Amino acid sequence: MRTNEISFRIRYSETDQMGVVYHGNYAQYLELARVEWLRLLGISYKSMEEGGIMLPVISLSINYLKPALYDDLITVKVVLNKKPAVRIEFDYEIVNEAGELLATANTVLVFMDMKRKRPTKCPQILLDKLEY
């Protein structure tokens, strides 16, 4: 499974006085999509951390095309484009109910050994779940 979608409604607390989503909230939307993608594979961030692996974001790029508004139902599509090694890279599309593209994004995360505080290879359990 290289792709997943998650939908949710924009909450009032995520917007400014004009009802427009604050730009910083998009990073949380991307994280939500990534976490759920991983969970659908049967792996959680929590279990990875308990196994000594963390996944810090080392690169984040967002292209804002149209504003997301209060009470919009948005869908975040996450796509894993290539087999992870030490890094794992995702592309995203965020659309509203009308199917309008609101934003595109890309994140790169690195698998880190928590004890050594050094990059490490993607856990085999994750590689086994991917269709490569």
Side-chain angles (χ1 to χ4, degrees), residues 1-3 37 40-41 80-84 124-132:
M1 181 183 72
R2 296 183 193 167
T3 183
W37 170 83
L40 283 172
L41 289 174
L80 176 69
N81 286 327
K82 58 186 172 186
K83 183 178 179 180
Q124 190 61 46
I125 189 170
L126 177 55
L127 292 173
D128 291 344
K129 303 266 183 176
L130 299 174
E131 300 168 3
Y132 281 97

Side-chain angles (χ1 to χ4, degrees), residues 66-84:
K66 293 184 86 165
L69 305 172
Y70 169 63
D71 205 41
D72 278 355
L73 179 65
I74 64 168
T75 299
V76 182
K77 179 180 180 182
V78 58
V79 178
L80 176 69
N81 286 327
K82 58 186 172 186
K83 183 178 179 180

Side-chain angles (χ1 to χ4, degrees), residues 1-47:
M1 181 183 72
R2 296 183 193 167
T3 183
N4 188 45
E5 293 182 0
I6 185 165
S7 297
F8 52 91
R9 243 176 234 291
I10 301 297
R11 295 171 297 250
Y12 184 77
S13 63
E14 298 167 336
T15 64
D16 59 21
Q17 279 190 315
M18 297 178 292
V20 174
V21 171
Y22 171 68
H23 72 278
N25 287 321
Y26 284 80
Q28 293 179 42
Y29 301 160
L30 305 179
E31 180 183 20
L32 183 60
R34 272 194 318 274
V35 167
E36 290 306 311
W37 170 83
L38 196 57
R39 189 179 310 280
L40 283 172
L41 289 174
I43 303 169
S44 69
Y45 267 38
K46 182 178 180 181
S47 68

